[in-house]
């Protein structure tokens, strides 16, 4: 009986130990699966949050397009027709007289860009102006920023001083529709 008892006791202990080993392995595998699925959920949430942000940005861009169209229409109203640029030389010379600046104005025919696809065109010009520093500064600011008829910008400018007066040679563009 003692032998049979020990055998059954050891068999019971072995079955219990085997059960714990199987349950431990199953628990380990289940835990690893849970961790893996939790990581997948975290990554999916990040992707979902990024997609939500992209949709928000797209909505903002679509709103911006309508306001850009409105500004483009307003800008187009401000731009003169190409034929109206014929008055540009007279405008620059009159502005030079107002600020007591002597100047020579010339159009650069090779620097003309056609208006296409809703984008404005531009015509190149150059100005060679002489005068005092303050009058030259006011003249250049005046023709570039204060014109209600032309939209002008300067691309390059060279200034030097000789014989008590300043000389500015500037190249720029006048925009048209």
């Amino acid at each position: 009986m003692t032998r049979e008892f020990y055998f059954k006791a050891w068999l019971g202990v072995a079955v219990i130990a085997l059960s714990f080993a199987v349950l431990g392995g199953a628990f380990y595998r289940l835990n690893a699966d849970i961790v893996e699925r939790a990581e997948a959920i975290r990554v999916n949430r990040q992707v979902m949050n990024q997609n939500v942000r992209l949709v928000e940005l797209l909505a903002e861009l679509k709103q911006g397009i309508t306001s850009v169209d409105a500004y483009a229409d307003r800008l187009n109203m401000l731009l003169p027709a190409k034929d109206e640029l014929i008055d540009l030389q007279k405008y620059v010379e009159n502005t030079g007289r107002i600020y007591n600046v002597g100047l020579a104005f010339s159009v650069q025919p090779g620097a003309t860009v056609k208006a296409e696809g809703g984008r404005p065109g531009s015509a190149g010009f150059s100005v060679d102006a002489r005068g005092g520093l303050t009058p030259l500064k006011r003249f250049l600011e005046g023709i570039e920023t204060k014109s209600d008829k032309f939209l002008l910008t300067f691309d390059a400018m060279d200034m030097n001083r000789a014989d008590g007066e300043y000389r500015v040679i500037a190249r720029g563009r006048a925009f048209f529709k």
Side-chain angles (χ1 to χ4, degrees):
M1 173 148 156
T2 57
R3 214 166 198 227
E4 195 177 310
F5 174 73
Y6 284 119
F7 178 73
K8 285 185 180 180
W10 279 110
L11 184 63
V13 169
V15 168
I16 290 172
L18 184 61
S19 296
F20 277 126
V22 169
L23 286 174
F27 179 74
Y28 177 77
R29 177 66 186 127
L30 185 62
N31 187 38
D33 190 48
I34 289 172
V35 168
E36 185 179 306
R37 288 181 187 215
E39 179 64 19
I41 289 171
R42 186 186 68 79
V43 168
N44 286 340
R45 280 190 178 167
Q46 279 183 332
V47 168
M48 188 173 63
N49 288 338
Q50 287 174 347
N51 288 344
V52 166
R53 182 65 185 138
L54 287 174
V55 168
E56 289 172 349
L57 289 173
L58 181 62
E60 288 176 21
L61 285 174
K62 284 186 178 182
Q63 280 181 332
I65 287 173
T66 57
S67 63
V68 166
D69 287 343
Y71 284 116
D73 291 341
R74 289 181 186 160
L75 182 61
N76 214 10
M77 284 190 277
L78 292 176
L79 292 174
K82 185 176 181 181
D83 296 343
E84 293 177 38
L85 290 182
I86 196 110
D87 295 332
L88 179 61
Q89 181 173 356
K90 190 184 311 180
Y91 165 73
V92 171
E93 289 172 350
N94 287 341
T95 306
R97 274 192 223 87
I98 290 170
Y99 291 105
N100 197 25
V101 171
L103 62 91
F105 178 89
S106 63
V107 175
Q108 297 175 335
T112 301
V113 176
K114 293 181 181 179
E116 293 182 309
R119 298 184 75 191
S122 64
F125 67 89
S126 64
V127 175
D128 185 348
R130 296 173 186 265
L133 182 61
T134 301
L136 275 174
K137 179 179 178 259
R138 288 183 180 154
F139 163 73
L140 293 171
E141 285 176 346
I143 65 172
E144 187 175 27
T145 62
K146 296 179 181 164
S147 172
D148 58 352
K149 189 172 182 179
F150 300 105
L151 182 59
L152 308 174
T153 185
F154 290 111
D155 298 323
M157 198 175 296
D158 182 36
M159 177 183 262
N160 55 47
R161 184 173 184 204
D163 300 328
E165 69 177 4
Y166 288 88
R167 178 180 181 197
V168 173
I169 300 172
R171 285 189 326 268
R173 292 175 289 156
F175 296 95
F176 59 87
K177 53 182 163 183

